[in-house]
Amino acid sequence: MDTMLEARLQTKQRNTQNSRETSLWSSGFGMKLEAVTPFLGKYRPFVGRCCQTCTPKSWESLFHRSIMDLGFCNVILVKEENTRFRGWLVRRLCCFLWSLEQHIPPCRDAPEKIMERTGVQNVISGRDPGGAGEGQVSGLVKKEVQRILGHIQAPPCPFLLRLFSWALLRFLKCVFLNVQLHKGQMKMVHQAAQAGLPLVLLSTHKSLLDGILLPFVLLSQGLGVLRVAWDPRTCSPTLRALLKKLGGLFLPPEANLTLDSSEGVLARAVVHAAIEQLLVSKQPLLIFLEEPPGVLGPRLSALGQTWLGLVVEAVQVGVVPDAMLVPVAITYDLVPDAPCDAYHASAPLGLWTGALAVLRILRGWGRSRPVCVRVHLAQPFSLQEYTINARSCWGSRQTLEQLLQPIVLGQCTTVPDTEKEQEWTPATGPLLALKEEDQLLVRRLSHHVLNASVMSSAVMSTAIMATLLLFKHQKGVFLSQLLGEFSWLTEETLLRGFDVGFSGQLRCLVQHTLSLLQAHVTLLRVHQGDLLVVPRLGPGLTHLAHLSAELLPAFLTCAVRGLLAGRVPPEGPWELQGIELLSQNELYRQILLLLHLLPQDLLLLQPCQSSYCYCQEVLDRLIQCGLLVAEETPGSRPACDTGRQRLSAKLLWKPSGDFTDSDSDDFEEAEGRFFRLSQQSRCPDFFLFLCRLLSPLLKAFAQAATFLHQGQLPDTGEAHASLALHRGSGESSGQRLCRGPRPRFFSPTESGYAEQLFQFLQATAQEEGFFECADPNLAISAIWTFRDLGVLQQTPSPAGPMLYLSPAFTSWENQEKLEQFIRQFICS
């Protein structure tokens, strides 16, 4: 099949060689790129299987190999066959008739049932005066409960849902080329729903459209009305009222009050009762575990963890015997533009603002090529099963300061044999009301599900193209060369078990992808009709860096490339580099150092997987792809000699889940094992490509360490003096900055220091050309990583947490050690 496709491609190139002077964008765009066949005949993996360590029964029960061959369907492609009617008029009104036939179950008595829940009645009876009598409820308290319940939800309106589904279908057809969904994944979700347990879908968050696109997809597939947990801070009261009629849920603000507040206790009881009633009625629930991309802060959503904690508590108290969790993800070729400053403006998104944003999207996308969307539904798994098995995988953990600070300062060289504890997402009121053990369960479950969602996401063509242009060809590449490298990187992605969200002829795919990125690349026509593709500097590179981040999970196991970049300079002759030997123990150590340094929000390691297991996986991947070759030292037994192997004197038990294909089960044997870099012809380019994948993050960390030298932060004593002066004056940090020059010991707030660091990253990008590092999210990640590492410390203040240098890093020498520690993982 590959030979036939290559022959067809060569024939097409010969036929069009005389007309190369025509525009590049004039051919291939009318072709619909439906992902229904493998790309160039390559194997397409079936992704989305649940964790076999934490949920082995779910891994076996809801999957059959036959569902891998079911293929894809285009959700927004509604035809006459999707309705019960036939005829020429039906073909013109099929979208409207399809929306009328959607089954919407009624839920009229939900408020009364919520009022009768035991938790609400206990709180009401506790707040009700004793003279009210048994069984009687004070009218004031009952009105308060009804007000809180009205803020949380409203009965869905069937007419409005059908009308909105029809309008949304028309809108999606104008904006997107197709919305692809794997039929096998949908079949697994249907099987889970038929088990009689409530479905809880836990999704990533790429766009504001996710909250209306996912309910539309599941409604069209016969799963009923999906209740969506929205963020009340981003919606105006008018928009919240509309979304509640469409099945939306909102957390009342009183639920985040302190634990001893009577209003907070009542609001949390009503929220618990609403979730319990929703689970009992088996209505599917959608929770976003990830913050939208425009929000500066942690990747995991505090609100999403709150809703997930309510579900976990409802299952543990026995309201429902179990719940099926479904990791969900949506990937776009290009994420539709959100309203300007939608996340940073003080006013929430209103109804008219949303309507104007829709018109802006329609107008903008009408002038450009429509994009493709993939909806991914991973294999459902049992919450009860995960709760039982996951607790056995919990081990001891230490903070980043305990793990890395002694190594950074040169006080020791041994990496502690323990996992890293790093949590950036703040806990809200309903989550704090849970037991400490249950809070830990919710946090680790969130990381586990988000990891499953990301791993099941398909890599889109724009991510592959952005990665090639950013990390291999920043100075430009010819289109003829780009065709081969696009196919190469697609194959490398598929070989690592990740799916791709496109198919079709290679040249048409590259043309379509470049047309989507035409605002960020420049096309120059050169001799012999070829084209030179050059990325635009400045914001263009920053946008390409955001797109290329989607490809990072597929190659993240090659994080050991940081060690190789530090030990072997890529500028030197490749033949000489292969001579230096790398011991396996040193490889393990350097991998652990890099894993501990990288933020947890980036790694998204499964809590059930140990770091040493991940190190072995990294090593195995590098051996499999040919970058590392085992070196037989003189006098040692060959690694392939299994005849003289003996049982170890003592059994070295590993953590659960440490099952690898490597022959290094005995860590004592690793001391005598060495590796060298492969000298194959393809290895230098591939090695340098892997070296640059984490460069934006690591360079931002190194520049943040350089920024410490400029003295923008005081030490401990100066910070306490600054805090006393700040409290005595009663001025905010903004007022003090506007009033005049700050004193030397003035301590900036965390947000103010993040803004200063971002400005420093922008200035450095202008000087050195690393525009992919000029990202405010990278600035915040650097500050929080330094805070966990013990470089920065903070004290609370009325204007926000104030930062200052810890005593260990006030000296210039230790700041230099920090910068050198980070730069050892950066490839030039």
Side-chain angles (χ1 to χ4, degrees), residues 55-125:
T55 53
K57 294 181 180 179
S58 300
W59 189 84
E60 296 178 355
S61 61
L62 296 175
F63 177 79
H64 193 271
R65 292 191 176 273
S66 61
I67 68 176
M68 300 171 58
D69 303 326
L70 294 180
F72 294 85
C73 66
N74 187 5
V75 178
I76 61 176
L77 184 61
V78 177
K79 299 181 179 179
E80 179 184 3
E81 291 77 10
N82 300 107
T83 65
R84 295 182 294 121
F85 308 98
R86 298 294 181 268
W88 66 270
L89 185 60
V90 175
R91 286 192 290 272
R92 288 158 177 78
L93 300 176
C94 57
C95 296
F96 181 73
L97 295 175
W98 170 86
S99 63
L100 293 178
E101 293 180 353
Q102 299 305 310
H103 175 65
I104 300 176
C107 52
R108 300 175 181 175
D109 55 347
E112 289 74 13
K113 291 183 178 180
I114 293 175
M115 189 73 70
E116 296 173 359
R117 302 298 301 182
T118 305
V120 176
Q121 291 297 324
N122 292 339
V123 175
I124 291 177
S125 61

Side-chain angles (χ1 to χ4, degrees), residues 469-514:
L469 295 178
L470 183 65
F471 297 118
K472 291 199 69 174
H473 305 292
Q474 255 190 55
K475 296 182 180 180
V477 58
F478 290 108
L479 180 61
S480 56
Q481 181 183 357
L482 193 59
L483 291 173
E485 295 198 348
F486 187 91
S487 177
W488 162 77
L489 190 53
T490 301
E491 183 178 355
E492 291 289 343
T493 303
L494 293 172
L495 290 176
R496 281 161 176 76
F498 281 76
D499 196 8
V500 293
F502 52 88
S503 66
Q505 295 181 353
L506 177 60
R507 193 175 189 88
C508 295
L509 283 170
V510 173
Q511 289 176 346
H512 180 80
T513 306
L514 288 176

Side-chain angles (χ1 to χ4, degrees), residues 121-143:
Q121 291 297 324
N122 292 339
V123 175
I124 291 177
S125 61
R127 295 186 59 179
D128 193 33
E134 185 179 359
Q136 297 181 2
V137 179
S138 171
L140 183 62
V141 179
K142 186 175 182 179
K143 288 182 179 180

Side-chain angles (χ1 to χ4, degrees), residues 468-739:
L468 289 174
L469 295 178
L470 183 65
F471 297 118
K472 291 199 69 174
H473 305 292
Q474 255 190 55
K475 296 182 180 180
V477 58
F478 290 108
L479 180 61
S480 56
Q481 181 183 357
L482 193 59
L483 291 173
E485 295 198 348
F486 187 91
S487 177
W488 162 77
L489 190 53
T490 301
E491 183 178 355
E492 291 289 343
T493 303
L494 293 172
L495 290 176
R496 281 161 176 76
F498 281 76
D499 196 8
V500 293
F502 52 88
S503 66
Q505 295 181 353
L506 177 60
R507 193 175 189 88
C508 295
L509 283 170
V510 173
Q511 289 176 346
H512 180 80
T513 306
L514 288 176
S515 68
L516 294 176
L517 299 176
Q518 58 185 337
H520 312 290
V521 298
T522 302
L523 301 183
L524 303 176
R525 191 172 297 279
V526 295
H527 62 283
Q528 298 181 355
D530 205 348
L531 286 172
L532 182 64
V533 183
V534 182
R536 299 180 187 269
L537 298 179
L541 290 181
T542 305
H543 186 80
L544 293 180
H546 290 162
L547 292 176
S548 64
E550 298 181 5
L551 194 65
L552 185 59
F555 295 93
L556 194 57
T557 51
C558 294
V560 71
R561 59 102 191 123
L563 161 70
L564 304 180
R567 288 289 306 275
V568 185
E571 300 86 350
W574 190 262
E575 293 76 8
L576 298 179
Q577 293 175 11
I579 298 177
E580 184 172 357
L581 298 182
L582 306 172
S583 68
Q584 183 167 330
N585 280 345
E586 187 175 358
L587 284 170
Y588 280 155
R589 178 181 179 276
Q590 292 297 108
I591 295 172
L592 282 176
L593 292 178
L594 184 58
L595 289 179
H596 291 330
L597 177 64
L598 295 177
Q600 184 67 28
D601 283 0
L602 174 70
L603 293 174
L604 290 178
L605 298 182
Q606 293 182 352
C608 60
Q609 185 181 24
S610 65
S611 297
Y612 281 94
C613 177
Y614 193 81
C615 290
Q616 187 60 51
E617 182 182 352
V618 169
L619 197 60
D620 291 341
R621 288 292 182 91
L622 289 175
I623 296 174
Q624 290 171 5
C625 67
L627 285 179
L628 284 182
V629 178
E631 179 72 13
E632 305 293 347
T633 56
S636 63
R637 177 174 55 85
C640 59
D641 185 7
T642 59
R644 292 185 294 171
Q645 288 187 2
R646 300 178 181 178
L647 294 176
S648 178
K650 62 177 181 178
L651 296 177
L652 299 178
W653 294 101
K654 310 275 182 62
S656 177
D658 194 0
F659 302 102
T660 63
D661 296 331
S662 176
D663 58 350
S664 58
D665 291 337
D666 192 342
F667 280 92
E668 294 178 356
E669 296 182 1
E671 298 179 357
R673 290 193 180 148
F674 294 87
F675 298 89
R676 58 178 173 82
L677 292 177
S678 175
Q679 300 183 26
Q680 299 178 9
S681 59
R682 61 177 291 272
C683 283
D685 290 338
F686 189 41
F687 168 74
L688 294 177
F689 169 75
L690 294 176
C691 286
R692 298 185 180 116
L693 284 179
L694 287 175
S695 294
L697 177 69
L698 293 175
K699 287 180 179 178
F701 280 15
Q703 291 173 8
T706 305
F707 188 60
L708 296 176
H709 302 331
Q710 298 192 2
Q712 299 294 329
L713 290 173
D715 55 18
T716 308
E718 294 174 343
H720 290 307
S722 172
L723 182 60
L725 179 63
H726 176 82
R727 290 176 177 174
S729 62
E731 295 179 346
S732 64
S733 59
Q735 292 173 338
R736 182 172 296 276
L737 288 173
C738 295
R739 189 185 64 178

